[in-house]
Amino acid sequence: MLTSICGINWGDEGKGRMVDLLSEKFDVVCRYQGGNNAGHTVINEKGKFILNLLPSGILRENVVNVMGCGMVIDIKHLCGEIGKLRAAGIRISPENLKISDKAIIVMPYHVLQDVMEEDRLSKATGKPYGSTRRGISPVYSDKYMKKALRMGELLNPELMYKRLPDIVAWKNMTIKAYGFEPITVEDMITYLKTYGEPLKDYVVDTGIYLNEAYNEGKNVMFEAQLGALRDIDYGIVPYTSASSTIAAYAPIGAGVPNLRLTNSIGIMKAYSSCVGAGPFTCEYFGEKAERLRELGGEYGAATGRPRRVGPFDVVASKYGIRCQGADEIALTKLDVLDDYEEIEICSHYKLHGKITDEFPFTDVLDECEPVFEKVKGWHKDITGCRKKEDLPKEALDYIALLEKLCKCRIKYVSVGAERDAYIEMY
Ligand code: GDP
Ligand code: MG
């Protein structure tokens, strides 16, 4: 079985905790896109972990974790992440971690480029992209320019070092144009030796491994980072990630373009949050926003940035479900709404006087106004609910309403961050 777990909204839907929960049924967990620009928070009996690069299955004893070719890997960050988990008693070895030889290496100059461009944009236009400044867009650009370094090159470093002088000369043309100090080949070689060398033993052809695993009948889960609205093609460009966050990309980004997904589980939050800049039609402001942000603990896992928040957005979520081809939904953080006597949802957008429930092209999103509707809240603590029957009627009504409006079945509902704080609905 090949299952994709993907984000329906703007990211931070709680994918990490759902993957952690569902990974029990899987033998392999695979990341297939993105880098350390987002964070998954997982809380289990071993502690609280923030994973930026490692697949969430790393916290399970018998799960093999794969980092696919669609990923961009900051090797220094990865060494740090592995070190922290090891210090917490998590076992990490080539047996349970496999990194694609075709995955791309994020270099310090990509991070520098990201910072230089965000700062330039801030000064020139007052409108930076809200990048996480981890070098993700520059490194994906280099991939398409065919100038990126790949993890497999660590196995044959002398060849890679020979490629470096021209790459460094090319990069310095850009760096100098921004008025920054040029980088040196020596520094880059030292960097690759320091942080690349320790990762060498994990590098394999993940396609061979995954095909074998699949043929042996193993269950493989693909874990996405970010959500549909951050996808490079389908998201709110340019306020998106630079990678494909879409479930259909999973087999390609993992190393098995020959295999087809069995199903796609979409992670959807019971309200909305959006980190960084960009159109966010359902956004709350002022006290309303502060209350929801506090209740939901909406601060970035990777950056600590306060997230923008709003009520559940039917228009964006329906679009997200379509993009992800989601067969079923895990609705997360329902307990965050416990405090409300009345709950708002954004049911439609109003664009140029017309009401619509179709997500429009990015350019006109800024002109869309949200249409809010109110439903009755349950106004009760649901964090202890573990069965459908435990949920108050109003909570069941809220779930049923989202199912009806989004035309998708909600299979799981989470009511707390802990591993067991969830309900299987059918
Ligand atoms: P991801 O990027 O999609 O993995 O999500 P994040 O980890 O960035 O954000 C989700 C946050 O919500 C984390 O702090 C989780 O611990 C927390 N969380 C996940 N599920 C629930 C839930 O059902 N209820 C509550 N209250 N918190 C949750
Ligand atoms: Mg996150």
Side-chain angles (χ1 to χ4, degrees), residues 34-36 53 71-78 103-116 132-143 147-154 157 160-172 175 183-197 199:
N36 58 322
L53 279 166
M71 286 193 76
V72 291
I73 300 176
D74 182 320
I75 50 179
K76 183 178 176 184
H77 192 97
L78 183 56
I104 305 288
I105 301 177
V106 180
M107 291 293 285
Y109 48 79
H110 295 122
V111 179
L112 175 63
Q113 252 187 295
D114 208 352
V115 171
M116 292 188 309
T132 48
R133 298 169 178 245
R134 307 262 165 125
I136 309 299
S137 291
V139 76
Y140 273 113
S141 305
D142 280 14
K143 170 174 170 170
K147 292 190 198 287
L149 305 173
R150 305 200 286 175
M151 291 300 290
E153 292 184 71
L154 293 169
M160 173 167 61
Y161 300 154
K162 278 195 193 134
R163 287 182 59 208
L164 268 176
D166 186 58
I167 293 175
V168 166
W170 175 66
K171 269 302 151 194
N172 278 335
I175 294 170
I183 53 166
T184 68
V185 176
E186 293 70 40
D187 283 353
M188 293 309 111
I189 292 180
T190 307
Y191 183 86
L192 286 163
K193 282 190 173 152
T194 312
Y195 303 110
E197 181 77 17
L199 297 171

Side-chain angles (χ1 to χ4, degrees), residues 12 39-40 301 307:
D12 304 317
H40 282 335
R307 295 173 183 152

Side-chain angles (χ1 to χ4, degrees), residues 99-317:
I99 306 176
S100 169
D101 51 3
K102 298 170 196 70
I104 305 288
I105 301 177
V106 180
M107 291 293 285
Y109 48 79
H110 295 122
V111 179
L112 175 63
Q113 252 187 295
D114 208 352
V115 171
M116 292 188 309
E117 177 56 12
E118 278 291 284
D119 287 348
R120 186 197 69 81
L121 267 180
S122 290
K123 280 194 202 116
T125 68
K127 277 192 170 176
Y129 288 163
S131 160
T132 48
R133 298 169 178 245
R134 307 262 165 125
I136 309 299
S137 291
V139 76
Y140 273 113
S141 305
D142 280 14
K143 170 174 170 170
Y144 288 100
M145 290 292 284
K146 294 157 288 184
K147 292 190 198 287
L149 305 173
R150 305 200 286 175
M151 291 300 290
E153 292 184 71
L154 293 169
L155 303 177
N156 208 343
E158 291 311 318
L159 267 184
M160 173 167 61
Y161 300 154
K162 278 195 193 134
R163 287 182 59 208
L164 268 176
D166 186 58
I167 293 175
V168 166
W170 175 66
K171 269 302 151 194
N172 278 335
M173 290 165 67
T174 305
I175 294 170
K176 281 184 209 154
Y178 278 96
F180 277 70
E181 276 298 301
I183 53 166
T184 68
V185 176
E186 293 70 40
D187 283 353
M188 293 309 111
I189 292 180
T190 307
Y191 183 86
L192 286 163
K193 282 190 173 152
T194 312
Y195 303 110
E197 181 77 17
L199 297 171
K200 247 174 35 186
D201 293 346
Y202 300 95
V203 177
V204 294
D205 181 332
T206 56
I208 295 177
Y209 170 72
L210 286 171
N211 267 298
E212 267 172 22
Y214 180 73
N215 290 335
E216 286 167 13
K218 294 208 167 120
N219 291 327
V220 180
M221 174 197 285
F222 300 107
E223 169 186 24
Q225 169 221 42
L226 301 166
L229 297 160
R230 300 293 186 189
D231 179 74
I232 185 71
D233 294 302
Y234 297 95
I236 47 169
V237 178
Y239 304 101
T240 60
S241 184
S243 64
S244 178
T245 64
I246 296 296
Y249 182 73
I252 297 173
V256 282
N258 55 311
L259 300 180
R260 273 179 193 76
L261 286 179
T262 317
N263 61 335
S264 165
I265 304 178
I267 314 298
M268 182 167 95
K269 194 139 83 175
Y271 57 94
S272 302
S273 77
C274 170
V275 72
F280 184 42
T281 307
C282 66
E283 183 166 14
Y284 274 167
F285 298 95
E287 268 172 38
K288 248 178 160 177
E290 268 160 44
R291 180 175 177 207
L292 186 52
R293 184 178 303 118
E294 282 310 311
L295 288 169
E298 293 298 341
Y299 299 90
T303 57
R305 286 190 284 186
R307 295 173 183 152
R308 298 155 74 194
V309 292
F312 184 82
D313 184 326
V314 176
V315 184
S317 300

Side-chain angles (χ1 to χ4, degrees), residues 12-17 39-41 43 301 307 332-333 335-336 414-417:
D12 304 317
E13 298 93 347
K15 291 175 296 296
R17 66 99 60 197
H40 282 335
T41 315
I43 300 174
R307 295 173 183 152
T332 57
K333 303 189 83 163
D335 57 297
V336 170
S414 81
V415 292

